[in-house]
Amino acid sequence: MSPLIDARHLGRTLAATVPVTLVRDVSLSIEAREFVALTGPSGSGKSSLLYLLGLLDRPTAGTLAIAGQDTGRLDERARSELRLTTIGFVFQFHFLLPEFTARANVEIPMLRLGRLTRRAARARAEELLGGLGLAGHFDKLPEQLSGGQRQRVAVARALANDPPLVLADEPTGSLDSKSSEQVFAILRDLVRERGKTILAVTHDLGLAARMDRRLELIDGGLITDDRPGAPDPTPAPG
Amino acid sequence: MRLLLALAVAHIRGRARQTLVAGLGVALGVGFSIAMAALMQGSQDDFVRQLVDTMPHVEITDETRAPAPQPAEAAYDVVAFSNLRIVDDRRGIANPTAARARLEAWVPGTVAPALVTQGVARYAGRDAGVTVTGVEPEIEERASSVAGDFVQGGFRSLDAGGDNVVIGDGLAGKLGATLGDTVDIVSPSGLSRGFRVVGLFHTGARARDEGEVYMALRTARILAERPNVINRIRLRLEDPDAAPAIAARAEAGLGYKAVSWQEANEAILEALVIRNFIMYTVVAAILLVAGFGIFNIVSTITHEKARDIAILKSLGFAETDMRRLFLIEGLAIGGAGAVLGWAIGYGLCLALGSVRFEVPELGDATRLPLAWSPWHYAISSALALGAAGIAGYLPARRAARLNPVDIIRGAT
């Protein structure tokens, strides 16, 4: 089976008078059920790489296949569809829609996909939220929840359409240590118990150390990949 | 779609006051457009009705569209004629009885024959040029608008024994004659006869009140020395709008020129078309201005909700979804405004309809003429929705193109 993420020589350059390179020649592949940390100093291109892998941005070089599909050949609509079914996002800030209740926020991706009836979507949203310890908070608006609770709602939303891949951008970055630990545990359980694949950007090396595999970026280039048997990520000189 | 609606409602509710202002802008635009259209249409209908009422719907005269061919043309193959001697042409509609019968067979309405000639009315040393119309009183009563304008007597008074005439009150004033006086009328050929005034009418049109004289067809023929002749057939139709078709058919059947009221008043009707065009241009302009309000609010929402747009896109919403979302918002505001505008328009029409004008010359008060038509409501709301669609689409397109990464980066 093809890997979930298969990136070859991926690059992203912002066109400007002096072009800015965000991501430089990154090749990596991530298999199902991996729990991967993406680390690096600020401005190293971690988030940029994550957005490329999450189809929020288009690479200026290289190829990217998600779940065996060459994304370079997909149009905007097909990329949206792939994002909807295959990728769940968790950001540093919860990014919930403020006018909608916790349950409604989780329902939105399901209703957009349209595979479930409204009733079934509602039941699934409640099940997901309940599973993350949010039973009893279904009808609360985001502003009525604590930071940790909001982030858990965001995780539930990312899981709404049961995507195999969850991309997290500093998911614990804005939380206190207790909430942070809670969210980390949830992510780990997703891999261990539900068979998800998680790629999480973090600058917390302690957290990264507890994950299964670490990728390290510096200046947009991949310098470390401690996956057993992974090819040497350092680009050949010249 | 329901999901997009729910999102649109949430956005609109978050900006309730501004949305209300934008919606009210549309509502006022639609409302005033409806009231204006009702007033314009009403006054136009009123005007046309008066126009139609005062004249025959179709008038057939003893003329032809093209000049009659010279008899010599039929006889000789020549290029030009000169010095042709004029034969005294006995004009008039040929075979009047048959012509009438043929028309009566199919025309839905009244067929009124007449002999129209010129003359001079003299009384007590004063005289005035008049148009003398010989009519059949019983038919004329049904066919002519003058029948309703009699101050004293009527067309049927002409049926009394002797030579009788009905004249306008303006002419009566000019001559100093009153009901019962005998007025001399001199024909173009110099024949003079005395006629007793048996009726006075007042149409309100001075030219008619001072210049028209009606008498029985029989006496008009004697005065004009043209026995058995008529030179006009006037049709009063049940449906005035059918006049052009009926005129065309009558002209084809009889060979004489038949002029519908529409043809006779082409210039006026053309002016009305231009007036309507101006009105709808103004309506469109009003609603375009109202559209700016919508553009403003949808623009504001797209800016305010940039983060939501980024989130929705990261969840897997496509650009078309985003475009639709904001288009829906624009149309929703426009649609709500249009519905409110119907109420405002209806209210304005009621208010305008209750305004009374006291015109001293006419005894009774007149009201503003208003026409009610569902078209006014449909057209103004269609224009409003069109403006709202454009006003929503422009910011929607920009919002759809928004790159989620820019927003997400900005937030972190």
Side-chain angles (χ1 to χ4, degrees):
Chain A
M1 213 184 118
S2 55
L4 202 50
I5 297 177
D6 190 10
R8 304 267 166 90
H9 309 292
L10 218 50
R12 175 75 170 102
T13 305
L14 289 180
T17 16
V18 183
V20 181
T21 302
L22 300 173
V23 175
R24 191 192 311 271
D25 196 27
V26 169
S27 296
L28 61 88
S29 92
I30 295 176
E31 303 287 338
R33 304 178 75 109
E34 283 200 80
F35 189 28
V36 186
L38 182 55
T39 63
S42 295
S44 60
K46 307 184 296 280
S47 296
S48 298
L49 179 58
L50 193 77
Y51 299 147
L52 286 177
L53 299 178
L55 306 180
L56 287 181
D57 202 1
R58 279 176 179 275
T60 47
T63 59
L64 170 66
I66 299 286
Q69 286 200 59
D70 180 1
T71 59
R73 297 171 184 279
L74 302 177
D75 63 6
E76 191 267 339
R77 195 164 187 93
R79 286 162 63 91
S80 298
E81 207 64 26
L82 189 59
R83 204 152 60 218
L84 191 63
T85 53
T86 314
I87 304 167
F89 265 105
V90 180
F91 298 100
Q92 178 178 3
F93 298 98
H94 58 86
F95 280 161
L96 299 174
L97 298 184
E99 297 93 348
F100 292 84
T101 61
R103 187 204 293 118
N105 264 291
V106 179
E107 280 173 358
I108 285 173
M110 296 188 252
L111 297 177
R112 171 64 189 80
L113 185 59
R115 281 188 195 152
L116 297 177
T117 62
R118 294 186 87 80
R119 182 191 296 263
R122 189 186 170 97
R124 177 163 167 79
E126 291 183 355
E127 186 194 316
L128 283 167
L129 288 168
L132 296 174
L134 289 166
H137 299 289
F138 298 157
D139 289 313
K140 288 193 177 160
L141 292 173
E143 62 181 21
Q144 295 167 318
L145 297 169
S146 72
Q149 288 171 328
R150 286 179 205 163
Q151 200 61 316
R152 279 181 279 156
V153 176
V155 172
R157 184 179 61 183
L159 298 174
N161 286 326
D162 201 18
L165 177 63
V166 175
L167 300 177
D169 189 5
E170 303 273 12
T172 61
S174 61
L175 300 178
D176 59 56
S177 56
K178 185 167 164 264
S179 300
S180 176
E181 190 55 43
Q182 224 174 8
V183 169
F184 179 80
I186 288 168
L187 294 178
R188 191 191 50 215
D189 290 349
L190 287 176
V191 178
R192 301 275 185 274
E193 286 158 28
R194 300 211 205 174
K196 302 285 178 208
T197 304
I198 290 181
L199 175 63
V201 166
T202 180
H203 61 263
D204 183 339
L205 293 176
L207 224 51
R210 292 160 62 195
M211 292 163 78
D212 298 344
R213 176 180 170 193
R214 276 149 300 275
L215 303 170
E216 193 181 354
L217 280 185
I218 284 181
D219 283 342
L222 192 59
I223 58 153
T224 313
D225 184 349
D226 66 357
R227 177 188 181 200
D232 180 10
T234 341
Chain B
M1 208 59 181
R2 265 172 77 176
L3 178 59
L4 289 181
L5 274 178
L7 288 166
V9 168
H11 286 173
I12 287 172
R13 274 171 58 185
R15 274 276 170 190
R17 218 177 53 186
Q18 233 183 324
T19 305
L20 197 69
V21 171
L24 268 180
V26 176
L28 285 177
V30 169
F32 278 107
S33 303
I34 288 171
M36 191 166 81
L39 204 56
M40 296 280 280
Q41 178 86 49
S43 63
Q44 177 181 329
D45 289 354
D46 197 52
F47 180 76
V48 170
R49 193 159 43 240
Q50 282 179 13
L51 192 71
V52 171
D53 271 0
T54 52
M55 59 188 314
H57 297 157
V58 176
E59 186 167 46
I60 303 164
T61 56
D62 57 346
E63 294 165 18
T64 50
R65 293 263 170 195
Q70 292 288 349
E73 266 178 330
Y76 306 105
D77 192 14
V78 291
V79 177
F81 301 103
S82 62
N83 293 330
L84 290 173
R85 198 159 57 86
I86 297 161
V87 178
D88 191 15
D89 184 19
R90 276 177 55 87
R91 291 183 58 185
I93 291 171
N95 302 323
T97 318
R100 251 181 87 179
R102 273 164 63 189
L103 285 173
E104 273 165 355
W106 62 270
V107 171
T110 310
V111 179
L115 175 62
V116 178
T117 180
Q118 300 299 314
V120 176
R122 324 179 79 155
Y123 180 74
R126 296 174 205 126
D127 47 47
V130 293
T131 300
V132 178
T133 309
V135 299
E136 292 186 2
E138 187 266 329
I139 293 174
E140 196 66 12
E141 204 174 47
R142 281 184 282 129
S144 169
S145 65
V146 180
D149 292 329
F150 275 97
V151 183
Q152 283 171 304
F155 281 122
R156 298 301 284 267
S157 313
L158 296 172
D159 283 335
D163 291 344
N164 299 321
V165 73
V166 295
I167 63 175
D169 62 351
L171 181 61
K174 238 161 98 176
L175 297 174
T178 54
L179 204 67
D181 289 337
T182 299
V183 174
D184 284 333
I185 295 179
V186 185
S187 77
S189 57
L191 189 68
S192 174
R193 272 174 93 96
F195 292 87
R196 198 159 62 89
V197 177
V198 295
L200 294 174
F201 58 82
H202 176 83
T203 61
R206 223 174 102 171
R208 303 191 72 178
D209 292 340
E210 288 186 358
E212 286 191 2
V213 161
Y214 291 86
M215 60 178 64
L217 189 54
R218 168 180 54 81
T219 43
R221 281 168 174 166
I222 296 168
L223 185 70
E225 295 169 285
R226 299 172 72 178
N228 295 323
V229 168
I230 59 170
N231 57 9
R232 297 273 197 285
I233 299 176
R234 292 154 311 154
L235 308 181
R236 187 152 193 96
L237 306 174
E238 284 152 16
D239 174 18
D241 293 334
I246 288 172
R249 189 169 161 192
E251 186 164 320
L254 297 177
Y256 289 109
K257 186 170 167 183
V259 176
S260 65
W261 64 270
Q262 286 96 330
E263 189 187 346
N265 297 287
E266 216 169 317
I268 294 174
L269 295 177
E270 240 166 53
L272 292 178
V273 170
I274 290 170
R275 210 174 75 133
N276 281 337
F277 178 77
I278 293 171
M279 175 182 82
Y280 282 111
T281 309
V282 171
V283 166
I286 293 175
L287 292 168
L288 205 64
V289 171
F292 277 106
I294 294 178
F295 177 81
N296 195 19
I297 172 72
V298 177
S299 260
T300 309
I301 292 176
T302 56
H303 278 124
E304 234 175 32
K305 296 294 177 186
R307 213 192 57 167
D308 283 21
I309 297 168
I311 297 170
L312 291 170
K313 285 184 114 179
S314 77
L315 291 179
F317 281 72
E319 283 188 9
T320 37
D321 295 318
M322 293 296 101
R323 248 195 323 266
R324 260 185 222 150
L325 171 62
F326 291 102
L327 192 59
I328 286 173
E329 289 175 20
L331 288 176
I333 298 169
V339 171
L340 188 62
W342 292 348
I344 292 177
Y346 188 75
L348 273 174
C349 285
L350 286 185
L352 286 172
S354 67
V355 175
R356 292 160 60 97
F357 290 96
E358 304 282 348
V359 183
E361 290 86 56
L362 306 166
D364 36 334
T366 52
R367 288 174 189 280
L368 283 173
L370 289 164
W372 189 91
S373 159
W375 280 109
H376 299 157
Y377 290 76
I379 290 174
S380 58
S381 40
L383 285 173
L385 281 181
I390 295 169
Y393 182 76
L394 295 177
R397 204 179 49 168
R398 208 182 42 211
R401 285 188 188 153
L402 203 109
N403 185 0
V405 173
D406 295 342
I407 309 298
I408 293 163
R409 259 183 206 295
T412 43

